Amino acid sequence: MATSRQPWWSGGVLYQAYPRSFADSNGDGIGDLAGLRGRLDYLNWLGVDGIWLNPTFPSPNHDWGYDVSDYLDVHPDLGTLDDLDALIAAAAERGIRILLDLVPAHTSDRHQWFAESRASRESPRRSWYIWREEAEGQESVFGGKAWTYDERTGQYYHHLFLPDQPDLNWLQPDVRDAFDEILRFWFDRGIAGFRIDVVHELVKDPPSRPNRAKIHDVLRRWRSLAAGYEPQRLFVGETWVMDLEELASFYGSNDELQLAFNFPFMFAGLDAAALADVVERTEAVLPHGALPVWALSNHDVVRFPTRMCDEDDAKVRAALLALLTLRGTSVLYYGDELGMRQVDIPAERARDVHDRDGARTPLPWGEVEWRNPWLPLGANVATVAEQRSDPRSVLSFCREAIALRHGRKDLVSGGYTPLASPTGVWAWRRGSGSVIALNLTGSKAILPLAGEVILSTNGRDDSSRLEPWEGVVVALT
Ligand code: GLC
Ligand code: CA
């Protein structure tokens, strides 16, 4: 069957920028939208197709933006709506799309909706949140009970995360309408799509378990809303489920999320058998025509060079090569391109309720450095400036891998075919003419491939064997 023109994220690279830590334009120590705009040339040079920004909305920051107090504005620390418009426009000039992070499962307790909801049991907004006479036993994700007693009206409200993050009641049709308006507001401004926070738990049913069937209804509703927009808008979900069949269900019949984050891949470790297994099973369960999405790090987990690569750059390159040569969409968390490690945060500098600061530190630029950054500088790798001028750096390698991904049809859209290989080696073919082989062991491996090495993590060009931790892309002859 002839396939229509592929969307931009097919074979694309999405860059997750944590706005407070990407680039600071006014020297207050907090990254901001103008800072990001000023660095678009860097991201363009790197070769990314889209940028996902962690929440940019006004928020009291109890959970660093994931407690939204207004979905239609910009956090003053980050700038203004005008700054966001300017960012969208400047990115578009470079062919880069901007995605925001939608947090629909809960609001901040400072959101006007919650203020009205908690004011009285008769409030028209009462049913927008989940209120009960009795607390159920459920625990919240950050520890402690998922129910908090509100004295004013003598009932408990539900929150899967902090008490400052009351959960919205998605069984209430008005909540669905309100989010339709929010989506339209941003799509009309030129936002290319959304990462959807905690989408796998969006709709709760008494006594507050996720209601999957109803989550799928909401996702279909959003897709049909987005269908009115050209070009197609993207929904990529934080689907934190460990079962791949369940993960695949969030694609619906290609009428729900276009991309669902793959946490089993993120946590497989740098192990040939485990990675090959997750990728092969993912490819098998996704609906026909759907694209997988791959990431190694994000703002909630320990950075991948520390978590899975023992802070060894040979392993970091191998992991990046895998990330950037799989079918679908590859997501780089800011700093991944440098091989940035998790940063040790002294207790007195800790800001997060859940100990995630070490993965959220400022990007070390080098030539102009941060003044009084809000978190200690992530200075555990060579800076952007240093790595840019070093053709053998992780950054230079990452850029080459992205260029190859974009420039080679097999890597843009070719299928994934696993290849038999020695223990500890993960090898697969993309399309008909490209093979990727990674030696994920500390010993040499023999894997004769008839072709030319077009990229190697070691800068070698031998297609008959692999050095320890070497990865190659081979053009078959
Ligand atoms: C998601 C976010 C995380 C946040 C949580 C609550 O898991 O990625 O950072 O704390 O949702 O919104
Ligand atoms: Ca700033």
Side-chain angles (χ1 to χ4, degrees), residues 431-465:
S432 55
S434 308
V435 165
I436 295 93
L438 303 174
N439 177 10
L440 302 183
T441 76
S443 341
K444 290 186 185 184
I446 308 287
L447 182 72
L449 293 165
E452 183 200 345
V453 174
I454 50 176
L455 182 64
S456 155
T457 56
N458 292 14
R460 293 167 71 260
D461 59 2
D462 179 353
S463 65
S464 67
R465 60 198 187 100

Side-chain angles (χ1 to χ4, degrees), residues 107-109 114 117-118 126 129-136 145-151 153-168 208:
T107 68
S108 161
D109 63 348
F114 190 67
S117 185
R118 82 192 316 182
R126 188 66 168 182
Y129 293 84
I130 303 170
W131 293 96
R132 291 286 175 277
E133 294 297 334
E134 306 285 335
E136 320 267 344
K145 290 273 171 281
W147 294 91
T148 291
Y149 185 69
D150 202 42
E151 298 237 323
T153 53
Q155 283 188 323
Y156 294 82
Y157 66 88
H158 185 260
H159 52 89
L160 203 52
F161 294 89
L162 297 174
D164 320 80
Q165 295 170 292
D167 283 323
L168 282 164
S208 81

